[in-house]
Amino acid sequence: MADELYLENIDEFVTDQNRVVTYKWLSYTLGVHVNQAKQMLYDYVERKRKENSGAQLHVTYLVAGNLLQNGHVCHKVAVVREDKLEAMKSKLSTVSSVHVYSVQKALLKDSSPLYNTDYDIVKTNLQHCSRFSAIRCAAAVPRTPAEAPPAPAQSPRSQRDPGAAGTLNGHGPPAAKAPPQQHKGIMGMFAAKAAAKAQDTPKEAKAEAKEAPGVSAASSKPPTKNNIMNNFFGKAAMNKLKANSVPEQPKEEKEVVKPSVAVAEPESSPNTVAEKPGKKAESARIQQKDKKSKTKRADRSDDEEERDPENVKKKRKRIKQLQSDSSDDEDVPPSPTLEEERAPSPPPAPAPKAELEPASTEVAAGARKRKRKRVLKSKMFIDEEEGCMGKAG
Amino acid sequence: MFSEQAAPMAQGLLAPPSAEPPTFPRVPVSGYLDCSQPFQLGERGFSRQYAHIYAVRLAGMRPGLERRAQSRWGDDIVLRKLSELQAGEKCCVVGTLFKSMQLQPSILQEISEEHNLVPQPPLPKYIQPSDELMLEDELQRIKLEGAIDVQRLVTGTILAVYGCEQDDGRFLVEDHCFADLPPPLPWNGPSSDRFVLLASGLGLGSVSGEALLSTQLLVDVVTGQLGAEGEQSCAAHITRVILAGNLLSQNTQSRDTINKAKYLTKKMQAASVEAVKMLDEILLQLCTSVPVDVMPGEFDPTNYTLPQQPLHRCMLPLASAYATLHLVTNPYQASLDGVRFLGTSGQNISDIFKYSSMDDYLEILEWTLLAGHISPTAPDTLGCYPFYKTDPFILTECPHVYFCGNAPHFQSKLLQGKEGQRVLLVTVPDFGATQTACLVNLRDLTCQPITFSGFGADSED
């Protein structure tokens, strides 16, 4: 029966899995209204204690009410252990609500497990966090895209740029201006080639990873791009960026170009977009790049190649792979966001695909270097671990 | 009072599951008007000097003060500028106060090599018995003495003094007055209970996690997850939440990255990044259920000078997808259901606290209302944008609710003015330290604190 089912479930959670079952956790797990969850917990406790008075069951309650404090009537909301329930109730002048907050096997020393349980379950249900609540707000509707000005539309694209912006921007996040300018020049070059090719993006992604030939085309491009970069960067930056720029540019361009629906028109928007979200992931990327500074090209090209195979499959694991091979704690935020952007990228097919073609050739160039640099890369990885300064950005 | 009518149903949830439990619709805000346009800066230029802001402040407040002076000391009193003063003549002068304090931190002293001084550590108060008051107007200044409380007043206040100039060039004050309460706004408040929750100093990103459960409890009460049915239906009457600053804790402000060598800090992430992510999640939970106004504070990632501009939407990607999230300026002014709110995140009050003998935040809050200016110490000791056309901190209308955030504890007072003004003064306590927020009832302008607590190993409950 449905009635008995929840009792069994709660029993399983509490005794078998040894969980701290808060009303909120139960509400999300069973998909019921929060008040029902509270009542279920109460029912479970009552029945369990009736059957087996020695049952190892500890309960925390929520008590709320008015309290006279410092001369004014204060509304107090407190989570208390069962043994302190009556004491708290007697302290309050009027009790406005009492209900079960959580049930668990062990006696809790403090309320942090309660907080952690709630935090975890809410984190996994962020999109529907008010679904089982007792209050519905009619005004809480997501903004329509029209209301929310450029930022959301640009954010998918922007977040795809962080790799580009970060690595190009060898001297740190603040110089976000330079990458956009570079993109303009580079994308201008791509726009010329845009007409030439139009194929599957996924297929191209595959091709990027595996194509060996076509390097010549790639090699001709980097020098010209370097010139463009020279224009934007000062001499000091150039030395640092030279090594980075060549393998970087093609890959970054590919990334940059991918998201933009039409390369020609919103040059400004990807650029501006690149700045903001780019900054956040830029710092992550820059840290990545800085870490690999010993063997600049190798790492980056390796990373790119790591990314490309994933790119082939789902464009989803890309970041995860990146995290696993580069540093222990790559920051997670770029990954979900980047995943989102991967999704929009297939739809805007024609222009990006065109750009992918030339990019793929450059990737192939990197692919060629892969064999040579693999050993270096692993060495560097070890070095990284040793030299790791605690939490990485 | 909040949830008093919930008492009969208090134990309702200590029972086996019943049929479909009720859901209560959130009481909508019938009229919301954001009146904080004067505090929103568009293009900002910092090439002007700060003398202009004092000039417009004096020019803006002079007419009102002259009227006040005449009503207080008689219509026939002589109003003089400092340049027209005659020795021995009783007259009234309107001007800006300047308090010269020996302990006031001065950047010139700090960098002065002759003195070889170690910079002065921050003190709780910078007042000293040797401080002196001076009155300045457009052209001149004069030292004040007499029936005026030097310790209590702060630089930047516009006031009118009545007295006469002495032979030694000082002005002997017999009486002084401020601009007093601004003219009242008509009252269009709601006829049924509507609550606004004021909270400040959430302090996310701090090292200690004690306040985290309390923050979660606060969100749960407001979103209607916590509490028995009576309490939830009362919580549905909370029409708005205003977070008055310091959403991030002071711990996120570590400046180590500037001092440490680059190779040590390269892999470090600013503490504020994690804290902002946590803030985003909390705001998302709130925004799916209630309109929220988020004001920046002293430790939040926005500009330092007043008026602080709203936090940028890109930092809160999850929550800003909802139309119920409003990122607003500090100070913030808005009209909710016909009730005018005006408040700051507390920097103005705490700055006056440092340079005045007044100790009580509520007293200082009331004093700023009577002085007719939200933050007289800006730009002297509190960073301020160099306004030159108007001073937006001058109070031109009397708000119905006047609050300041990040106070050490909760206080509230209903102030009645001579012209029919009714103002509820609220000092919103720092939630990270006190786990207390405030519920303002718009119907009758009363305020109730709401405290949250968990249990710890060493607490008695």
Side-chain angles (χ1 to χ4, degrees), chain A residues 24 35 38 74-75 77 96-97 111 123 130 133-134 136 143 391 393, chain B residues 3 24 26 216 220 223 225 227 231-232 267 281 288 321 449 451 455:
Chain A
K24 205 193 277 188
N35 289 355
K38 296 167 197 165
C74 169
H75 190 78
V77 177
S96 58
S97 52
S111 35
K123 190 98 190 243
S130 278
S133 151
R136 289 265 178 279
R143 283 186 221 262
K391 188 172 175 172
Chain B
S3 74
F24 308 98
R26 172 82 57 194
Q216 191 60 49
D220 288 342
T223 56
Q225 318 226 8
E231 177 131 8
Q232 287 165 340
K267 291 185 189 177
E281 285 156 18
T288 52
T451 321
F455 55 89

PDB file of all heavy atoms in Angstrom, chain A residues 24 35 38 74-75 77 96-97 111 123 130 133-134 136 143 391 393, chain B residues 3 24 26 216 220 223 225 227 231-232 267 281 288 321 449 451 455:
ATOM      1  N   LYS A  24      13.271  17.888   4.433  1.00  0.00           N
ATOM      2  CA  LYS A  24      13.484  18.399   3.086  1.00  0.00           C
ATOM      3  C   LYS A  24      14.062  17.315   2.183  1.00  0.00           C
ATOM      4  O   LYS A  24      13.661  17.155   1.030  1.00  0.00           O
ATOM      5  CB  LYS A  24      14.433  19.598   3.146  1.00  0.00           C
ATOM      6  CG  LYS A  24      14.242  20.537   1.982  1.00  0.00           C
ATOM      7  CD  LYS A  24      15.347  21.511   1.872  1.00  0.00           C
ATOM      8  CE  LYS A  24      15.168  22.691   2.777  1.00  0.00           C
ATOM      9  NZ  LYS A  24      16.188  23.704   2.479  1.00  0.00           N
ATOM     10  N   ASN A  35       5.121  19.354   3.919  1.00  0.00           N
ATOM     11  CA  ASN A  35       4.313  19.042   5.106  1.00  0.00           C
ATOM     12  C   ASN A  35       4.023  17.558   5.209  1.00  0.00           C
ATOM     13  O   ASN A  35       4.015  16.993   6.301  1.00  0.00           O
ATOM     14  CB  ASN A  35       3.015  19.840   5.083  1.00  0.00           C
ATOM     15  CG  ASN A  35       3.248  21.313   5.342  1.00  0.00           C
ATOM     16  OD1 ASN A  35       4.363  21.710   5.630  1.00  0.00           O
ATOM     17  ND2 ASN A  35       2.201  22.103   5.244  1.00  0.00           N
ATOM     18  N   LYS A  38       7.053  15.938   6.618  1.00  0.00           N
ATOM     19  CA  LYS A  38       7.158  16.086   8.072  1.00  0.00           C
ATOM     20  C   LYS A  38       6.229  15.118   8.783  1.00  0.00           C
ATOM     21  O   LYS A  38       6.605  14.487   9.783  1.00  0.00           O
ATOM     22  CB  LYS A  38       6.800  17.509   8.485  1.00  0.00           C
ATOM     23  CG  LYS A  38       7.743  18.573   7.967  1.00  0.00           C
ATOM     24  CD  LYS A  38       7.135  19.954   8.154  1.00  0.00           C
ATOM     25  CE  LYS A  38       7.841  20.986   7.307  1.00  0.00           C
ATOM     26  NZ  LYS A  38       7.078  22.229   7.187  1.00  0.00           N
ATOM     27  N   CYS A  74      10.322  38.727  20.205  1.00  0.00           N
ATOM     28  CA  CYS A  74      11.159  38.245  19.126  1.00  0.00           C
ATOM     29  C   CYS A  74      10.590  36.928  18.636  1.00  0.00           C
ATOM     30  O   CYS A  74      10.143  36.111  19.434  1.00  0.00           O
ATOM     31  CB  CYS A  74      12.564  38.071  19.688  1.00  0.00           C
ATOM     32  SG  CYS A  74      13.667  37.219  18.630  1.00  0.00           S
ATOM     33  N   HIS A  75      10.585  36.723  17.340  1.00  0.00           N
ATOM     34  CA  HIS A  75      10.115  35.446  16.813  1.00  0.00           C
ATOM     35  C   HIS A  75      11.317  34.525  16.696  1.00  0.00           C
ATOM     36  O   HIS A  75      12.300  34.877  16.063  1.00  0.00           O
ATOM     37  CB  HIS A  75       9.476  35.657  15.443  1.00  0.00           C
ATOM     38  CG  HIS A  75       8.771  34.453  14.939  1.00  0.00           C
ATOM     39  ND1 HIS A  75       7.522  34.080  15.392  1.00  0.00           N
ATOM     40  CD2 HIS A  75       9.132  33.510  14.054  1.00  0.00           C
ATOM     41  CE1 HIS A  75       7.151  32.976  14.788  1.00  0.00           C
ATOM     42  NE2 HIS A  75       8.109  32.607  13.967  1.00  0.00           N
ATOM     43  N   VAL A  77      13.039  30.831  15.781  1.00  0.00           N
ATOM     44  CA  VAL A  77      12.901  29.588  15.023  1.00  0.00           C
ATOM     45  C   VAL A  77      14.135  28.763  15.352  1.00  0.00           C
ATOM     46  O   VAL A  77      15.255  29.195  15.114  1.00  0.00           O
ATOM     47  CB  VAL A  77      12.867  29.883  13.504  1.00  0.00           C
ATOM     48  CG1 VAL A  77      12.802  28.594  12.724  1.00  0.00           C
ATOM     49  CG2 VAL A  77      11.688  30.773  13.179  1.00  0.00           C
ATOM     50  N   SER A  96       4.296  28.686  17.812  1.00  0.00           N
ATOM     51  CA  SER A  96       3.525  28.769  16.563  1.00  0.00           C
ATOM     52  C   SER A  96       3.690  27.542  15.688  1.00  0.00           C
ATOM     53  O   SER A  96       2.863  27.274  14.840  1.00  0.00           O
ATOM     54  CB  SER A  96       3.917  30.010  15.779  1.00  0.00           C
ATOM     55  OG  SER A  96       5.293  29.978  15.508  1.00  0.00           O
ATOM     56  N   SER A  97       4.767  26.805  15.833  1.00  0.00           N
ATOM     57  CA  SER A  97       4.830  25.538  15.100  1.00  0.00           C
ATOM     58  C   SER A  97       5.847  24.601  15.715  1.00  0.00           C
ATOM     59  O   SER A  97       6.882  25.022  16.226  1.00  0.00           O
ATOM     60  CB  SER A  97       5.146  25.755  13.626  1.00  0.00           C
ATOM     61  OG  SER A  97       6.257  26.539  13.464  1.00  0.00           O
ATOM     62  N   SER A 111      24.484  20.688  14.627  1.00  0.00           N
ATOM     63  CA  SER A 111      23.527  20.661  13.520  1.00  0.00           C
ATOM     64  C   SER A 111      24.161  20.703  12.149  1.00  0.00           C
ATOM     65  O   SER A 111      23.460  20.866  11.165  1.00  0.00           O
ATOM     66  CB  SER A 111      22.535  21.806  13.681  1.00  0.00           C
ATOM     67  OG  SER A 111      23.153  22.934  14.239  1.00  0.00           O
ATOM     68  N   LYS A 123      21.163  21.237  -3.729  1.00  0.00           N
ATOM     69  CA  LYS A 123      22.104  21.454  -4.823  1.00  0.00           C
ATOM     70  C   LYS A 123      21.742  20.612  -6.026  1.00  0.00           C
ATOM     71  O   LYS A 123      21.873  21.041  -7.166  1.00  0.00           O
ATOM     72  CB  LYS A 123      23.503  21.092  -4.308  1.00  0.00           C
ATOM     73  CG  LYS A 123      24.627  21.458  -5.206  1.00  0.00           C
ATOM     74  CD  LYS A 123      25.252  22.762  -4.767  1.00  0.00           C
ATOM     75  CE  LYS A 123      26.220  23.241  -5.820  1.00  0.00           C
ATOM     76  NZ  LYS A 123      27.567  23.310  -5.383  1.00  0.00           N
ATOM     77  N   SER A 130      11.493  25.074  -5.377  1.00  0.00           N
ATOM     78  CA  SER A 130      10.252  25.413  -4.681  1.00  0.00           C
ATOM     79  C   SER A 130       9.105  24.505  -5.058  1.00  0.00           C
ATOM     80  O   SER A 130       7.952  24.839  -4.829  1.00  0.00           O
ATOM     81  CB  SER A 130       9.875  26.857  -4.992  1.00  0.00           C
ATOM     82  OG  SER A 130      10.595  27.717  -4.165  1.00  0.00           O
ATOM     83  N   SER A 133       7.373  23.125  -1.921  1.00  0.00           N
ATOM     84  CA  SER A 133       7.208  24.062  -0.823  1.00  0.00           C
ATOM     85  C   SER A 133       5.730  24.391  -0.645  1.00  0.00           C
ATOM     86  O   SER A 133       4.909  24.145  -1.520  1.00  0.00           O
ATOM     87  CB  SER A 133       8.014  25.305  -1.143  1.00  0.00           C
ATOM     88  OG  SER A 133       7.435  26.415  -0.564  1.00  0.00           O
ATOM     89  N   ALA A 134       5.431  24.980   0.492  1.00  0.00           N
ATOM     90  CA  ALA A 134       4.030  25.276   0.779  1.00  0.00           C
ATOM     91  C   ALA A 134       3.590  26.607   0.219  1.00  0.00           C
ATOM     92  O   ALA A 134       2.439  26.980   0.344  1.00  0.00           O
ATOM     93  CB  ALA A 134       3.806  25.261   2.284  1.00  0.00           C
ATOM     94  N   ARG A 136       3.540  29.169  -3.125  1.00  0.00           N
ATOM     95  CA  ARG A 136       3.793  29.314  -4.562  1.00  0.00           C
ATOM     96  C   ARG A 136       3.806  30.794  -4.878  1.00  0.00           C
ATOM     97  O   ARG A 136       2.922  31.517  -4.459  1.00  0.00           O
ATOM     98  CB  ARG A 136       2.660  28.683  -5.367  1.00  0.00           C
ATOM     99  CG  ARG A 136       2.604  27.212  -5.345  1.00  0.00           C
ATOM    100  CD  ARG A 136       3.313  26.582  -6.538  1.00  0.00           C
ATOM    101  NE  ARG A 136       3.255  25.142  -6.406  1.00  0.00           N
ATOM    102  CZ  ARG A 136       4.083  24.440  -5.640  1.00  0.00           C
ATOM    103  NH1 ARG A 136       5.031  25.045  -4.984  1.00  0.00           N
ATOM    104  NH2 ARG A 136       3.952  23.145  -5.549  1.00  0.00           N
ATOM    105  N   ARG A 143      13.027  34.948 -16.498  1.00  0.00           N
ATOM    106  CA  ARG A 143      12.938  36.067 -17.427  1.00  0.00           C
ATOM    107  C   ARG A 143      12.854  35.544 -18.848  1.00  0.00           C
ATOM    108  O   ARG A 143      13.522  34.609 -19.205  1.00  0.00           O
ATOM    109  CB  ARG A 143      14.202  36.927 -17.331  1.00  0.00           C
ATOM    110  CG  ARG A 143      14.258  37.808 -16.145  1.00  0.00           C
ATOM    111  CD  ARG A 143      15.489  38.678 -16.275  1.00  0.00           C
ATOM    112  NE  ARG A 143      16.143  38.811 -15.006  1.00  0.00           N
ATOM    113  CZ  ARG A 143      15.980  39.846 -14.195  1.00  0.00           C
ATOM    114  NH1 ARG A 143      15.176  40.816 -14.538  1.00  0.00           N
ATOM    115  NH2 ARG A 143      16.608  39.901 -13.055  1.00  0.00           N
ATOM    116  N   LYS A 391      45.246  24.200  -3.309  1.00  0.00           N
ATOM    117  CA  LYS A 391      44.090  24.225  -4.202  1.00  0.00           C
ATOM    118  C   LYS A 391      44.406  25.049  -5.428  1.00  0.00           C
ATOM    119  O   LYS A 391      44.859  26.178  -5.317  1.00  0.00           O
ATOM    120  CB  LYS A 391      42.906  24.844  -3.456  1.00  0.00           C
ATOM    121  CG  LYS A 391      41.621  24.734  -4.226  1.00  0.00           C
ATOM    122  CD  LYS A 391      40.453  25.171  -3.396  1.00  0.00           C
ATOM    123  CE  LYS A 391      39.272  25.117  -4.338  1.00  0.00           C
ATOM    124  NZ  LYS A 391      38.057  25.282  -3.936  1.00  0.00           N
ATOM    125  N   GLY A 393      43.262  26.964  -8.925  1.00  0.00           N
ATOM    126  CA  GLY A 393      42.106  27.758  -9.337  1.00  0.00           C
ATOM    127  C   GLY A 393      41.242  27.104 -10.378  1.00  0.00           C
ATOM    128  O   GLY A 393      41.753  26.344 -11.147  1.00  0.00           O
TER     129      GLY A 393
ATOM    130  N   SER B   3       2.825  35.451  12.747  1.00  0.00           N
ATOM    131  CA  SER B   3       2.475  34.070  13.090  1.00  0.00           C
ATOM    132  C   SER B   3       1.866  33.900  14.469  1.00  0.00           C
ATOM    133  O   SER B   3       1.994  32.838  15.055  1.00  0.00           O
ATOM    134  CB  SER B   3       3.657  33.131  12.905  1.00  0.00           C
ATOM    135  OG  SER B   3       4.608  33.284  13.912  1.00  0.00           O
ATOM    136  N   PHE B  24       0.039  27.704  -0.162  1.00  0.00           N
ATOM    137  CA  PHE B  24      -0.460  29.063  -0.029  1.00  0.00           C
ATOM    138  C   PHE B  24       0.157  29.926  -1.115  1.00  0.00           C
ATOM    139  O   PHE B  24       1.340  29.873  -1.353  1.00  0.00           O
ATOM    140  CB  PHE B  24      -0.089  29.610   1.355  1.00  0.00           C
ATOM    141  CG  PHE B  24      -0.507  28.709   2.471  1.00  0.00           C
ATOM    142  CD1 PHE B  24       0.383  27.838   3.061  1.00  0.00           C
ATOM    143  CD2 PHE B  24      -1.823  28.715   2.907  1.00  0.00           C
ATOM    144  CE1 PHE B  24      -0.002  27.000   4.084  1.00  0.00           C
ATOM    145  CE2 PHE B  24      -2.219  27.875   3.935  1.00  0.00           C
ATOM    146  CZ  PHE B  24      -1.312  27.007   4.521  1.00  0.00           C
ATOM    147  N   ARG B  26       1.795  33.158  -2.631  1.00  0.00           N
ATOM    148  CA  ARG B  26       2.532  34.281  -2.068  1.00  0.00           C
ATOM    149  C   ARG B  26       1.722  35.553  -2.309  1.00  0.00           C
ATOM    150  O   ARG B  26       1.261  35.794  -3.407  1.00  0.00           O
ATOM    151  CB  ARG B  26       3.883  34.384  -2.775  1.00  0.00           C
ATOM    152  CG  ARG B  26       4.695  35.591  -2.469  1.00  0.00           C
ATOM    153  CD  ARG B  26       5.472  35.497  -1.204  1.00  0.00           C
ATOM    154  NE  ARG B  26       6.357  34.361  -1.171  1.00  0.00           N
ATOM    155  CZ  ARG B  26       6.955  33.917  -0.060  1.00  0.00           C
ATOM    156  NH1 ARG B  26       6.732  34.525   1.075  1.00  0.00           N
ATOM    157  NH2 ARG B  26       7.751  32.891  -0.108  1.00  0.00           N
ATOM    158  N   GLN B 216      20.129  28.883   6.135  1.00  0.00           N
ATOM    159  CA  GLN B 216      19.240  27.929   5.481  1.00  0.00           C
ATOM    160  C   GLN B 216      17.856  27.968   6.118  1.00  0.00           C
ATOM    161  O   GLN B 216      16.839  27.887   5.432  1.00  0.00           O
ATOM    162  CB  GLN B 216      19.845  26.521   5.604  1.00  0.00           C
ATOM    163  CG  GLN B 216      19.171  25.482   4.750  1.00  0.00           C
ATOM    164  CD  GLN B 216      19.254  25.836   3.285  1.00  0.00           C
ATOM    165  OE1 GLN B 216      20.299  26.164   2.753  1.00  0.00           O
ATOM    166  NE2 GLN B 216      18.117  25.810   2.623  1.00  0.00           N
ATOM    167  N   ASP B 220      14.359  28.822   4.381  1.00  0.00           N
ATOM    168  CA  ASP B 220      13.255  27.879   4.450  1.00  0.00           C
ATOM    169  C   ASP B 220      11.995  28.496   5.022  1.00  0.00           C
ATOM    170  O   ASP B 220      10.889  28.150   4.606  1.00  0.00           O
ATOM    171  CB  ASP B 220      13.655  26.670   5.313  1.00  0.00           C
ATOM    172  CG  ASP B 220      14.653  25.787   4.602  1.00  0.00           C
ATOM    173  OD1 ASP B 220      14.758  25.908   3.371  1.00  0.00           O
ATOM    174  OD2 ASP B 220      15.319  24.985   5.277  1.00  0.00           O
ATOM    175  N   THR B 223      10.587  30.718   2.191  1.00  0.00           N
ATOM    176  CA  THR B 223      10.035  29.997   1.047  1.00  0.00           C
ATOM    177  C   THR B 223       8.936  29.037   1.446  1.00  0.00           C
ATOM    178  O   THR B 223       8.368  28.364   0.593  1.00  0.00           O
ATOM    179  CB  THR B 223      11.129  29.194   0.314  1.00  0.00           C
ATOM    180  OG1 THR B 223      11.759  28.325   1.255  1.00  0.00           O
ATOM    181  CG2 THR B 223      12.157  30.102  -0.290  1.00  0.00           C
ATOM    182  N   GLN B 225       8.986  26.312   3.485  1.00  0.00           N
ATOM    183  CA  GLN B 225       9.263  24.896   3.684  1.00  0.00           C
ATOM    184  C   GLN B 225       9.194  24.554   5.160  1.00  0.00           C
ATOM    185  O   GLN B 225       8.802  23.464   5.563  1.00  0.00           O
ATOM    186  CB  GLN B 225      10.660  24.563   3.172  1.00  0.00           C
ATOM    187  CG  GLN B 225      10.952  25.238   1.861  1.00  0.00           C
ATOM    188  CD  GLN B 225      11.556  24.308   0.872  1.00  0.00           C
ATOM    189  OE1 GLN B 225      11.630  23.123   1.106  1.00  0.00           O
ATOM    190  NE2 GLN B 225      11.976  24.818  -0.263  1.00  0.00           N
ATOM    191  N   GLY B 227       8.160  25.052   9.198  1.00  0.00           N
ATOM    192  CA  GLY B 227       7.042  25.513   9.995  1.00  0.00           C
ATOM    193  C   GLY B 227       5.784  24.726   9.724  1.00  0.00           C
ATOM    194  O   GLY B 227       5.619  24.050   8.710  1.00  0.00           O
ATOM    195  N   GLU B 231       2.198  28.760  10.322  1.00  0.00           N
ATOM    196  CA  GLU B 231       3.381  29.585  10.090  1.00  0.00           C
ATOM    197  C   GLU B 231       3.628  29.752   8.604  1.00  0.00           C
ATOM    198  O   GLU B 231       4.034  30.819   8.147  1.00  0.00           O
ATOM    199  CB  GLU B 231       4.585  28.912  10.743  1.00  0.00           C
ATOM    200  CG  GLU B 231       5.876  29.625  10.515  1.00  0.00           C
ATOM    201  CD  GLU B 231       6.638  29.830  11.799  1.00  0.00           C
ATOM    202  OE1 GLU B 231       6.197  29.266  12.810  1.00  0.00           O
ATOM    203  OE2 GLU B 231       7.637  30.536  11.781  1.00  0.00           O
ATOM    204  N   GLN B 232       3.372  28.709   7.845  1.00  0.00           N
ATOM    205  CA  GLN B 232       3.605  28.826   6.409  1.00  0.00           C
ATOM    206  C   GLN B 232       2.636  29.812   5.786  1.00  0.00           C
ATOM    207  O   GLN B 232       2.999  30.575   4.892  1.00  0.00           O
ATOM    208  CB  GLN B 232       3.458  27.457   5.730  1.00  0.00           C
ATOM    209  CG  GLN B 232       4.627  26.543   6.031  1.00  0.00           C
ATOM    210  CD  GLN B 232       4.336  25.100   5.671  1.00  0.00           C
ATOM    211  OE1 GLN B 232       3.185  24.705   5.539  1.00  0.00           O
ATOM    212  NE2 GLN B 232       5.375  24.321   5.521  1.00  0.00           N
ATOM    213  N   LYS B 267      48.008  29.887  -8.092  1.00  0.00           N
ATOM    214  CA  LYS B 267      46.974  28.866  -8.161  1.00  0.00           C
ATOM    215  C   LYS B 267      45.843  29.128  -7.188  1.00  0.00           C
ATOM    216  O   LYS B 267      44.956  28.324  -7.055  1.00  0.00           O
ATOM    217  CB  LYS B 267      47.574  27.499  -7.852  1.00  0.00           C
ATOM    218  CG  LYS B 267      48.493  27.042  -8.930  1.00  0.00           C
ATOM    219  CD  LYS B 267      48.975  25.642  -8.660  1.00  0.00           C
ATOM    220  CE  LYS B 267      50.059  25.281  -9.642  1.00  0.00           C
ATOM    221  NZ  LYS B 267      50.602  23.972  -9.389  1.00  0.00           N
ATOM    222  N   GLU B 281      23.306  30.291  -5.127  1.00  0.00           N
ATOM    223  CA  GLU B 281      22.368  29.214  -4.814  1.00  0.00           C
ATOM    224  C   GLU B 281      21.309  29.667  -3.824  1.00  0.00           C
ATOM    225  O   GLU B 281      20.131  29.348  -3.959  1.00  0.00           O
ATOM    226  CB  GLU B 281      23.122  28.010  -4.258  1.00  0.00           C
ATOM    227  CG  GLU B 281      23.866  27.249  -5.329  1.00  0.00           C
ATOM    228  CD  GLU B 281      25.027  26.463  -4.769  1.00  0.00           C
ATOM    229  OE1 GLU B 281      25.049  26.247  -3.548  1.00  0.00           O
ATOM    230  OE2 GLU B 281      25.901  26.085  -5.565  1.00  0.00           O
ATOM    231  N   THR B 288      12.873  31.838  -6.347  1.00  0.00           N
ATOM    232  CA  THR B 288      11.785  31.031  -6.888  1.00  0.00           C
ATOM    233  C   THR B 288      10.531  31.195  -6.058  1.00  0.00           C
ATOM    234  O   THR B 288       9.502  30.626  -6.380  1.00  0.00           O
ATOM    235  CB  THR B 288      12.166  29.550  -6.899  1.00  0.00           C
ATOM    236  OG1 THR B 288      12.611  29.196  -5.589  1.00  0.00           O
ATOM    237  CG2 THR B 288      13.245  29.264  -7.891  1.00  0.00           C
ATOM    238  N   ALA B 321      18.260  34.511 -13.583  1.00  0.00           N
ATOM    239  CA  ALA B 321      17.326  34.051 -14.609  1.00  0.00           C
ATOM    240  C   ALA B 321      15.895  34.368 -14.210  1.00  0.00           C
ATOM    241  O   ALA B 321      15.003  34.344 -15.057  1.00  0.00           O
ATOM    242  CB  ALA B 321      17.479  32.545 -14.815  1.00  0.00           C
ATOM    243  N   PRO B 449      11.947  41.286  15.299  1.00  0.00           N
ATOM    244  CA  PRO B 449      13.123  40.508  14.913  1.00  0.00           C
ATOM    245  C   PRO B 449      12.758  39.033  14.835  1.00  0.00           C
ATOM    246  O   PRO B 449      11.864  38.567  15.533  1.00  0.00           O
ATOM    247  CB  PRO B 449      14.105  40.761  16.064  1.00  0.00           C
ATOM    248  CG  PRO B 449      13.246  41.078  17.230  1.00  0.00           C
ATOM    249  CD  PRO B 449      11.993  41.708  16.705  1.00  0.00           C
ATOM    250  N   THR B 451      14.744  35.317  14.951  1.00  0.00           N
ATOM    251  CA  THR B 451      16.047  34.715  15.230  1.00  0.00           C
ATOM    252  C   THR B 451      16.023  33.252  14.863  1.00  0.00           C
ATOM    253  O   THR B 451      15.022  32.572  15.045  1.00  0.00           O
ATOM    254  CB  THR B 451      16.367  34.816  16.733  1.00  0.00           C
ATOM    255  OG1 THR B 451      15.931  36.070  17.197  1.00  0.00           O
ATOM    256  CG2 THR B 451      17.838  34.670  16.980  1.00  0.00           C
ATOM    257  N   PHE B 455      21.634  23.747  16.923  1.00  0.00           N
ATOM    258  CA  PHE B 455      22.172  23.332  18.211  1.00  0.00           C
ATOM    259  C   PHE B 455      23.608  22.907  18.004  1.00  0.00           C
ATOM    260  O   PHE B 455      23.989  22.381  16.972  1.00  0.00           O
ATOM    261  CB  PHE B 455      21.349  22.206  18.833  1.00  0.00           C
ATOM    262  CG  PHE B 455      21.190  21.008  17.939  1.00  0.00           C
ATOM    263  CD1 PHE B 455      22.114  19.977  17.940  1.00  0.00           C
ATOM    264  CD2 PHE B 455      20.105  20.912  17.087  1.00  0.00           C
ATOM    265  CE1 PHE B 455      21.958  18.881  17.111  1.00  0.00           C
ATOM    266  CE2 PHE B 455      19.941  19.819  16.269  1.00  0.00           C
ATOM    267  CZ  PHE B 455      20.865  18.804  16.282  1.00  0.00           C
TER     268      PHE B 455
END
